Amino acid sequence: MRFKTSVRNIQTFSKLTASLSSLGKVAWVRLDDDIVRFTIIPETGTQVWASLSVESIFEDYTIQSAAPNNTINLELPLPPLHRALKSALNASSASIRLTKKDGIPVLSLTIITNTISSGNSANGFLNNANSDPFGDNVFREENLDANTGRDREAIVTQDIPVRVLTADSVEGIHEPRVREPDAHIMLPSLMQLKAISDRFTKLALSTAPGGTRGGSAASTSKLELAANMHGSLKLSISTDALNISSVWTGLNNPELDPRQAIDDEDPAEHPSAKLKAAGPDAWSTVRIDGRDWGRVLSVGRLGGRVVACFSNEHALILYVYLPSYDNADESVLTVRFSNLRM
Amino acid sequence: MALLSFTLSPESLGKFHDALVCLGKFSEVVCIEAVHDKLILTALNSSKSAYASFTFLGNKFFNKYHFRGSTSNKNGSRDKFNCKIYNKALVSVFKGRVLDPTREKDIGVEKCDVSIEDGDGKVKSRFIVKTMCRHGVLKSYRLTFEAVAPMHALFVKESAYNYWKISSKTLREFVEHFGPGTEQLDVYSEEGRVSFTSYTEKIMSGNEILKQPLQTTIAIDTVEFSKFTVEEKLHIVISVKDFKSIIGHAGINNTEVSARYSHPSSPMQITYIVEGIQSEFILMTIGESRAGSATPVPNGSRASSKRPAPRQALEAASSSIRAANMVMPPPPASAAPNVHREASKSKVVRPSPPPPQPSIQPDALFFPDPDGDRRWDPVDFDEEEDEMLLWDAGSDTDVGRVNSGQRLKNTESQNQRSFASNIVSAQYGADDLLPPTQILAPTQRISEVHGMFD
């Protein structure tokens, strides 16, 4: 079993792990010849299935195992992975390999980074910043062998403990099938959505019976999300004390991908088509935990387009389409919320 | 008349505060020692495995520094003043630097005068801080202190043949790579490469493996160091938390940090100098973990150092403590059950960080206490709570502990407490003790307290 790769885009990978680690502490990572998949299935809360093309985050990718497609399954703690990648943010290069240290399998992240070397260059950095941009020192003369003096490398190795999972143990885990959505809509700017949602959640928590720290009753704030097939998204909370809602209009209801449509079904019979026909006052609604939602919206940092699919009173699925590299197959992060009962 | 007075400029106030914050990471009490030309702040952690000290030079660091050796003391003229103060109190008093630059204008500090008064009953013993702020605002604080001699760790430089020196900024960069949760830091060099590894030695299996903290190794060339003379292939292990605390302070200054050490289980000294402040840290190093618990046999060259055996070379204590020990009255009766309890607990595994029990060498960094290596005993928090309930034990030692803030800390180790009670008996006077009313037992149970509408 071999796995070794360079990280093509440390920033993206780091943002991905940041988003994932806010949603769960441990991920099941499935690596094969083409796809890198991160799955988070917490005991409660939201499920995440992130499927990325290898090229979108890695390069010089080598994988080898006895399983078909050279699949390797790992159980990986996300916070350490994210912490490790933080070391790599200013690195000149970073690579990952699966290895064993002291009998424990680890993902070893090797980062080559330049250090502020000791002596004069430690000051030089700051002095330059303060120097007069029009002074004589603008073109500071540099030593020819600058490499020996300044660009000193430090090799940082971050070892993340992992468990290598057998194919059998993950066989039974499948992406759950959800019934066809009634409404699918492109979400507005996640930054804006998050700011408003968080505000709502806060209000719901602070006005819930029992006050801000009032035990389990107040610990879930139910955020109601609804969409129609005429470009509107509605976000609302209702507590004993207040009802508030925000409505976005003019959003896009994307066409369903014909490739994913079920063959023997008439597109006009699709639940979303029916909802569309029912007019702008027909909504598909789900209730979700406000804090869960807030955490999920942190995927906004990845800068992807987000399509929300509503199954009325049943489930909400977010598809986060990550910006792809080289027009390769799009990488998608799928987040599933279950509807909360009233 | 003030025994000691000094004045801090706004910049030096900030540095003074930084030093206190750093000391706070080692212990919650800070020992202050003043002599005619310098002020020394020290802290010793509860397991006595780390010691931190900052020496502020009277003429370089302070705007004004005046130490007046008083003649009122029974022993004749006093050439030294010692006391112990709760660190949190000092940190909040000396908080001069306001992080928000927009607010600095309003509450900026213009200067800070500190004086210490200590008298024989006539004058109250107080640590007085007067901070002059803009717009004529004057803040004064009067703190009580406990007059005790500090513990000093001594370091024998001559036997520490390993030495390196590196920019504090570089070290700070390294420390930033260390993730949370690790306990040990291993420094190792081989063929011109030096590696710093932060790790935790724990045996885990199954799912627990994933909870193992991130292990980080930083490998650099020895050219990064301005000086580097270290034995090849030597593993030296210290607590990563202590190292982070030190670099947290050193890294905000642009300076060069020096480290000196000999071999595993002997102390390591880390020093650096920043404008009028000499910083010194002495850390216990952990014995070679893979070599089991055997004490390394000193070879010929090591044994030829000033003292015959490393054990003696490592013993350290201030002379005043020695003196205090000699004149000390027999331990209070309550100490006896303590010893007994400690003995019964010596097999419990220590629950919290550094250093792991099996790796500890019998050699001690500090003055050997009569309990031998029980200083490494685990802290039993439940036990401690029982202790806390004994409000009205009524002995003098308890009064002293209340005063020094020891009672406030319920994670205090057994040793620290015995140290505290030893110290109390060496106090100069009783006028800085809290009035006895403060240790009275509560008269009403919380459960009996009813609200207005109950």
Side-chain angles (χ1 to χ4, degrees), chain A residues 132-205:
Chain A
D132 177 6
F134 303 106
D136 293 335
N137 292 331
V138 187
F139 303 104
R140 200 164 52 87
E141 289 166 23
E142 285 183 48
N143 202 333
L144 182 63
D145 54 348
N147 281 333
T148 58
R150 295 178 64 84
D151 289 342
R152 286 178 185 160
E153 281 179 351
I155 299 171
V156 181
T157 317
Q158 301 275 25
D159 292 333
I160 304 134
V162 293
R163 285 209 307 153
V164 179
L165 304 175
T166 59
D168 301 349
S169 64
V170 293
E171 205 175 20
I173 312 175
H174 292 292
E175 208 164 338
R177 285 191 62 91
V178 181
R179 69 168 196 237
E180 287 296 307
D182 314 303
H184 40 86
I185 192 161
M186 196 95 107
L187 291 185
S189 147
L190 288 202
M191 181 73 89
Q192 194 189 59
L193 192 57
K194 180 166 162 44
I196 293 173
S197 310
D198 286 349
R199 183 105 198 112
F200 277 23
T201 306
K202 226 184 214 169
L203 277 168
L205 285 173

Side-chain angles (χ1 to χ4, degrees), chain A residues 26 75 77 80 83-84 87 102 104 114-118 123 152-163, chain B residues 167 170 173-174 176-180 193 206-207 209-210 212 214-220 223-224 254 256 290:
Chain A
V26 178
E75 194 175 12
R83 184 63 187 73
S87 284
D102 299 328
I104 296 175
N114 294 329
T115 61
I116 301 176
S117 48
S118 48
N123 308 336
R152 286 178 185 160
E153 281 179 351
I155 299 171
V156 181
T157 317
Q158 301 275 25
D159 292 333
I160 304 134
V162 293
R163 285 209 307 153
Chain B
S167 147
T170 309
E173 268 187 45
F174 293 170
E176 281 165 5
H177 292 298
F178 297 146
R193 298 292 286 176
N207 268 326
I209 285 177
L210 299 184
Q212 181 93 5
L214 197 61
Q215 176 168 330
T216 310
T217 303
I218 299 164
I220 46 165
V223 253
E224 291 277 347
N254 196 357
E256 294 240 292
R290 278 165 191 83

Side-chain angles (χ1 to χ4, degrees), chain A:
Chain A
M1 193 177 277
R2 269 164 54 85
F3 168 61
K4 189 172 187 300
T5 183
S6 294
V7 182
R8 183 195 295 276
N9 192 334
I10 297 164
Q11 299 280 347
T12 308
F13 194 25
S14 173
K15 282 177 183 171
L16 176 75
T17 56
S19 300
L20 292 177
S21 64
S22 62
L23 296 167
K25 296 290 163 238
V26 178
W28 160 35
V29 182
R30 186 173 169 278
L31 302 154
D32 66 23
D33 285 335
D34 317 297
I35 304 277
V36 180
R37 201 172 69 186
F38 288 84
T39 305
I40 302 172
I41 307 179
E43 282 172 30
T44 57
T46 45
Q47 281 192 13
V48 182
W49 297 72
S51 171
L52 300 105
S53 61
V54 163
E55 297 78 37
S56 63
I57 45 173
F58 297 141
E59 59 188 344
D60 301 332
Y61 180 88
T62 321
I63 189 159
Q64 213 179 325
S65 84
N69 267 350
N70 293 313
T71 307
I72 295 178
N73 289 293
L74 301 175
E75 194 175 12
L76 176 72
L78 288 166
L81 173 65
H82 179 54
R83 184 63 187 73
L85 284 168
K86 219 162 141 187
S87 284
L89 285 179
N90 297 315
S92 42
S93 81
S95 63
I96 299 178
R97 74 199 159 91
L98 180 64
T99 179
K100 248 187 182 184
K101 287 206 177 154
D102 299 328
I104 296 175
V106 291
L107 266 191
S108 186
L109 177 65
T110 305
I111 299 151
I112 298 175
T113 175
N114 294 329
T115 61
I116 301 176
S117 48
S118 48
N120 50 3
S121 54
N123 308 336
F125 208 11
L126 294 173
N127 289 350
N128 286 350
N130 296 336
S131 66
D132 177 6
F134 303 106
D136 293 335
N137 292 331
V138 187
F139 303 104
R140 200 164 52 87
E141 289 166 23
E142 285 183 48
N143 202 333
L144 182 63
D145 54 348
N147 281 333
T148 58
R150 295 178 64 84
D151 289 342
R152 286 178 185 160
E153 281 179 351
I155 299 171
V156 181
T157 317
Q158 301 275 25
D159 292 333
I160 304 134
V162 293
R163 285 209 307 153
V164 179
L165 304 175
T166 59
D168 301 349
S169 64
V170 293
E171 205 175 20
I173 312 175
H174 292 292
E175 208 164 338
R177 285 191 62 91
V178 181
R179 69 168 196 237
E180 287 296 307
D182 314 303
H184 40 86
I185 192 161
M186 196 95 107
L187 291 185
S189 147
L190 288 202
M191 181 73 89
Q192 194 189 59
L193 192 57
K194 180 166 162 44
I196 293 173
S197 310
D198 286 349
R199 183 105 198 112
F200 277 23
T201 306
K202 226 184 214 169
L203 277 168
L205 285 173
S206 62
T207 57
T212 40
R213 287 183 185 80
S216 58
S219 68
T220 53
S221 75
K222 290 187 191 94
L223 210 56
E224 198 176 287
L225 237 81
N228 65 14
M229 284 300 287
H230 296 265
S232 300
L233 173 77
K234 187 161 71 183
L235 181 69
S236 45
I237 52 158
S238 56
T239 69
D240 294 345
L242 56 91
N243 280 323
I244 40 174
S245 65
S246 279
V247 181
W248 282 262
T249 53
L251 301 175
N252 183 18
N253 297 104
E255 289 297 316
L256 282 180
D257 187 342
R259 278 178 298 171
Q260 286 179 9
I262 300 160
D263 295 332
D264 56 355
E265 201 182 317
D266 180 4
E269 286 298 305
H270 191 270
S272 64
K274 287 182 185 165
L275 192 76
K276 188 167 190 172
D281 289 332
W283 298 86
S284 178
T285 307
V286 289
R287 266 174 294 276
I288 53 178
D289 177 26
R291 276 172 298 187
D292 257 358
W293 174 248
R295 280 193 285 268
V296 168
L297 289 181
S298 72
V299 298
R301 79 185 90 206
L302 286 164
R305 291 165 299 122
V306 185
V307 176
C309 291
F310 289 75
S311 290
N312 193 32
E313 307 268 326
H314 177 60
L316 170 68
I317 303 168
L318 298 188
Y319 295 96
V320 183
Y321 294 92
L322 303 178
S324 61
Y325 177 83
D326 258 5
N327 294 323
D329 271 351
E330 271 186 325
S331 300
V332 192
L333 202 137
T334 314
V335 188
R336 285 159 202 281
F337 296 89
S338 294
N339 186 49
L340 297 173
R341 299 266 163 80
M342 279 300 276

